[in-house]
Amino acid sequence: MRIVITGGFGFLGREITSTLLRTRTYRGAPIDRLVLADRFVPSGAPEAADPLVRIVRGDLIESLAEVFAEPVDVLIHLAAAVSAECEADFDLGMGANLDTTRALLEAARAQSATGGPTPRLVFSSSVAVYGPDPALPLPSVVSESTLPTPRSSYGIQKLVCEQLVADYTRRGFVDGRVARLMTVSVRPGRPNAAASGFLSGIIREPLAGLPAVCPVRPDLRVALASPRRTVEAILRIAEAERGTGRGRLDGGLPVNLPALTVSVAEMLATLRQVAGDAVADLVTIAPDRDIEAVVGSWPSVFDNTRAATLGLEPDPSFASVVRDYLADHPDAILVGSPHAAGRPDPGL
Amino acid sequence: MRIVITGGFGFLGREITSTLLRTRTYRGAPIDRLVLADRFVPSGAPEAADPLVRIVRGDLIESLAEVFAEPVDVLIHLAAAVSAECEADFDLGMGANLDTTRALLEAARAQSATGGPTPRLVFSSSVAVYGPDPALPLPSVVSESTLPTPRSSYGIQKLVCEQLVADYTRRGFVDGRVARLMTVSVRPGRPNAAASGFLSGIIREPLAGLPAVCPVRPDLRVALASPRRTVEAILRIAEAERGTGRGRLDGGLPVNLPALTVSVAEMLATLRQVAGDAVADLVTIAPDRDIEAVVGSWPSVFDNTRAATLGLEPDPSFASVVRDYLADHPDAILVGSPHAAGRPDPGL
């Protein structure tokens, strides 16, 4: 069983890699090879030392021959330019998101057309496919049957790739599945160029003793999923058999990952409850019209039925999200700083 | 005012050309140039003699420099590979439909980015974007807010181009509009490779004294528009101002052309009524599973509200459709043939 992860050294790529290297199986079969493809490979990444891992470094389109040098059974396609990048640089987004995905689909098709296995492909799409059209406001609850009318180039590129994955699948070139990711919070590490980046930053930075700016009004409601739930969902979608009934993937529609709906005010109140006033006071509210417009255009309440069929549930509360973050990243908290209130109550 | 029609020598291209060369105006302004771009240009086409007309012959991608040699104000993009071709030859469809449209959008963007006019672009999409997903049957009445889940590569390619047109428009690169064409019936001339071709053939061929095969069961219902209504709608959408209210184009959604819903049995009954038993008996019912699957996957009943806002109404009856065909193509009827019943009652 050979698995490829594109964007393998991005945040989600590393989380998925870590899970797969722990279980060393996929649908009960041993993993023989885990290919991590990425433009940037951090030096000293511990994954590189694992005998299952092979690293393909460079632009994905130029690396496809190397990625497919051995037959590929499963592709988890995470590599992408993020929302704010695509809005700032249209050509970059079309190249990194549309052209790259199409080239990947073609390489997968070439493998199956020449007698190799038909690769299973998980395409990571996004909640950013949804947006309000001037003539068609979003419904109060969004599901996979809601018409996406993206309000960003990123959302358009994701939606276009979803359609290509659907057609390559219908024609039998690949066995494609689309996971529409919610905003992931709390992401560890450094801020990225996503318009939604602050939804991690307003928790992560203060916990580390750093100031953070919240660029939206606190009553804005958002749909979130923790890294744990996101990784679990991507792997569940990768492993699911097709068909109807519990645990199976029915029809060709994408799967919206299960979403926890919270307001930014509730997120900040949770931070205050967990880490105290000094930490929570590190957040400054300074609405930025552009970011508020982008993030405010995304739906915040989802019908999670389709994900539930696959056994996927949203995070139960934002307190649980923060608790997971603290458990998974104990070093991310500045213990004893004048701002931080120290380790939070583990019973939170 | 310079107008470009791609696929300018296709059936709809010639009908639109004929209308524009008659009015010689677009939104009240004189047309200075009508560029007809097509891979095939029939010899002796009368349009070629008109001083307004310039012909660009060849593959559209290779001809873009010539198409945009003078500033373009309006683009009516009809050039495409049809449904059955795209299903038979995946690469042909991706090239002729997706790559060509993207190149056209890029050329239009380059014009506006370098100080030229922002072209108005009408993209001809299709009812074939709709199809039943195994997990999401089509609603009994389809509107522009219905989620398209295409069941053909042609439908996917059209839907992908719709999304690109929407984003190029949102970003101000072009002023794009999407017209989703219904199956056009009765098309004159010879059969084409569209799966829906028989919906013209079962009327056109018998009227010319020729046998015709109907490859679907007669109770299948279809959504049709006559050539007259289709041309009227494309030009109306090309001319409409943006905004809300009567005659204006609201929001970014496509416009589904107004549809007349009829069963194939009703179509054949109309033929019998118009042309008599001998003509109607030239039609043989011989269901073809593949064609029935494709055509049967398209919705047949539409909510025509959005089109009605633009003043567009469906054909009032199939008898009216046949009457228009006979009026527009008097030579297409084999008068006095042993099969044909002669000129039909003009009062039909």
Side-chain angles (χ1 to χ4, degrees):
Chain A
M1 186 62 65
R2 296 192 179 91
I3 300 178
V4 172
I5 305 179
T6 74
F9 288 95
F11 162 57
L12 287 175
R14 296 190 80 167
E15 294 284 325
I16 291 170
T17 295
S18 158
T19 303
L20 291 176
L21 290 180
R22 195 163 58 242
T23 64
R24 302 186 95 72
T25 58
Y26 166 84
R27 295 168 60 211
I31 297 172
D32 308 306
R33 180 73 81 197
L34 184 59
V35 178
L36 305 176
D38 210 316
R39 292 166 65 199
F40 304 107
V41 177
S43 60
E47 305 92 310
D50 193 291
L52 290 189
V53 168
R54 195 160 67 86
I55 293 174
V56 175
R57 184 195 315 245
D59 177 83
L60 185 56
I61 292 184
E62 289 161 17
S63 310
L64 285 171
E66 207 179 336
V67 168
F68 285 85
E70 295 179 306
V72 174
D73 297 298
V74 181
L75 272 161
I76 300 179
H77 179 37
L78 305 172
V82 299
S83 51
E85 286 176 312
C86 296
E87 211 56 23
D89 185 342
F90 180 77
D91 295 314
L92 178 143
M94 291 290 278
N97 294 342
L98 177 49
D99 293 332
T100 300
T101 300
R102 190 165 161 196
L104 189 68
L105 285 166
E106 276 300 298
R109 174 189 174 203
Q111 175 180 291
S112 52
T114 53
T118 301
R120 190 170 280 199
L121 183 148
V122 181
F123 176 66
S124 60
S125 185
S126 166
V127 62
V129 298
Y130 294 109
D133 183 83
L136 186 72
L138 279 169
S140 54
V141 179
V142 164
S143 78
E144 290 85 353
S145 63
T146 302
L147 177 74
T149 54
R151 303 307 293 165
S152 67
S153 294
Y154 175 77
I156 290 276
Q157 290 151 14
K158 288 293 188 186
L159 184 57
V160 162
C161 291
E162 288 186 1
Q163 297 298 329
L164 295 180
V165 169
D167 202 41
Y168 276 69
T169 299
R170 187 186 61 83
R171 297 193 72 127
F173 302 155
V174 301
D175 174 1
R177 295 102 192 277
V178 173
R180 286 202 190 122
L181 273 57
M182 296 292 135
T183 295
V184 178
S185 173
V186 181
R187 293 170 67 103
R190 304 173 66 82
N192 69 6
S196 58
F198 75 93
L199 290 167
S200 291
I202 59 171
I203 305 300
R204 181 185 61 222
E205 264 64 285
L207 284 172
L210 300 169
V213 171
C214 173
V216 302
R217 46 173 222 281
D219 65 331
L220 191 77
R221 293 206 300 174
V222 291
L224 304 178
S226 66
R228 285 189 190 187
R229 298 274 169 173
T230 303
V231 167
E232 175 197 25
I234 291 170
L235 288 173
R236 190 75 54 88
I237 290 166
E239 296 196 339
E241 296 304 308
R242 294 193 178 275
T244 53
R246 183 103 190 137
R248 289 176 177 266
L249 200 58
D250 185 19
L253 296 181
V255 179
N256 292 341
L257 262 51
L260 170 67
T261 301
V262 285
S263 69
V264 170
E266 290 168 310
M267 295 173 69
L268 294 174
T270 302
L271 178 66
R272 189 170 296 276
Q273 184 190 345
V274 171
D277 289 343
V279 168
D281 289 344
L282 286 167
V283 180
T284 309
I285 311 281
D288 172 309
R289 190 169 302 186
D290 290 344
I291 293 179
E292 205 167 65
V294 171
V295 178
S297 77
W298 301 340
S300 59
V301 186
F302 284 83
D303 173 346
N304 292 324
T305 306
R306 189 165 164 80
T309 304
L310 293 171
L312 300 169
E313 298 292 339
D315 294 281
S317 67
F318 193 67
S320 150
V321 172
V322 175
R323 183 173 57 210
D324 287 350
Y325 174 72
L326 295 171
D328 293 345
H329 304 280
D331 298 344
I333 314 157
L334 192 66
V335 184
S337 107
H339 298 300
R343 302 257 163 189
D345 175 1
L348 174 72
Chain B
M1 185 62 65
R2 294 193 180 89
I3 300 179
V4 173
I5 304 178
T6 74
F9 288 94
F11 162 57
L12 286 175
R14 296 190 80 167
E15 293 284 326
I16 291 170
T17 295
S18 159
T19 303
L20 290 176
L21 290 180
R22 197 164 57 242
T23 64
R24 304 187 94 73
T25 59
Y26 167 83
R27 295 165 63 209
I31 297 171
D32 306 307
R33 180 72 80 197
L34 184 60
V35 178
L36 304 177
D38 211 316
R39 293 166 64 200
F40 304 107
V41 177
S43 60
E47 306 92 311
D50 193 291
L52 290 189
V53 167
R54 196 159 66 85
I55 292 174
V56 175
R57 184 196 315 244
D59 177 84
L60 185 56
I61 293 184
E62 289 162 17
S63 310
L64 285 171
E66 207 179 336
V67 167
F68 284 86
E70 295 178 305
V72 174
D73 297 297
V74 180
L75 273 160
I76 300 178
H77 179 36
L78 305 172
V82 300
S83 50
E85 285 176 314
C86 297
E87 211 56 21
D89 185 342
F90 180 76
D91 296 313
L92 177 142
M94 291 292 276
N97 294 342
L98 176 49
D99 293 332
T100 300
T101 301
R102 188 164 162 199
L104 188 68
L105 286 165
E106 277 299 298
R109 174 188 174 203
Q111 175 180 290
S112 52
T114 52
T118 301
R120 189 171 280 198
L121 183 148
V122 180
F123 176 66
S124 59
S125 184
S126 166
V127 63
V129 298
Y130 295 109
D133 183 84
L136 186 72
L138 279 169
S140 55
V141 179
V142 164
S143 77
E144 290 84 353
S145 62
T146 302
L147 177 73
T149 54
R151 304 306 293 164
S152 66
S153 294
Y154 175 77
I156 290 277
Q157 290 151 12
K158 287 293 186 185
L159 185 57
V160 162
C161 291
E162 288 186 2
Q163 297 298 328
L164 296 179
V165 170
D167 202 39
Y168 276 69
T169 299
R170 189 186 60 82
R171 297 193 73 127
F173 301 155
V174 300
D175 174 0
R177 294 103 193 275
V178 173
R180 285 201 190 123
L181 273 56
M182 296 293 136
T183 295
V184 178
S185 173
V186 180
R187 293 171 67 103
R190 302 173 68 82
N192 69 7
S196 58
F198 75 92
L199 290 168
S200 291
I202 59 171
I203 305 300
R204 182 185 59 221
E205 265 64 285
L207 284 173
L210 300 169
V213 171
C214 173
V216 301
R217 48 175 218 281
D219 65 330
L220 191 77
R221 292 207 301 173
V222 292
L224 304 178
S226 66
R228 285 190 189 187
R229 298 274 169 173
T230 303
V231 167
E232 175 197 26
I234 291 171
L235 289 172
R236 189 76 53 88
I237 290 166
E239 296 197 337
E241 297 304 307
R242 294 194 177 276
T244 54
R246 183 105 190 135
R248 289 175 176 267
L249 201 56
D250 186 19
L253 297 181
V255 179
N256 292 341
L257 262 50
L260 169 68
T261 301
V262 285
S263 69
V264 170
E266 288 168 312
M267 295 173 69
L268 295 174
T270 301
L271 178 67
R272 190 170 295 277
Q273 185 191 345
V274 170
D277 289 343
V279 168
D281 289 345
L282 286 167
V283 180
T284 309
I285 311 283
D288 172 308
R289 191 169 299 186
D290 291 344
I291 293 179
E292 204 167 66
V294 171
V295 178
S297 76
W298 301 340
S300 59
V301 186
F302 285 82
D303 174 347
N304 292 324
T305 306
R306 188 163 164 81
T309 304
L310 292 171
L312 300 169
E313 298 293 337
D315 292 282
S317 68
F318 193 67
S320 150
V321 171
V322 175
R323 184 174 55 209
D324 287 350
Y325 174 72
L326 295 171
D328 293 344
H329 305 281
D331 298 343
I333 315 158
L334 192 67
V335 184
S337 107
H339 298 300
R343 302 254 164 190
D345 177 1
L348 173 73

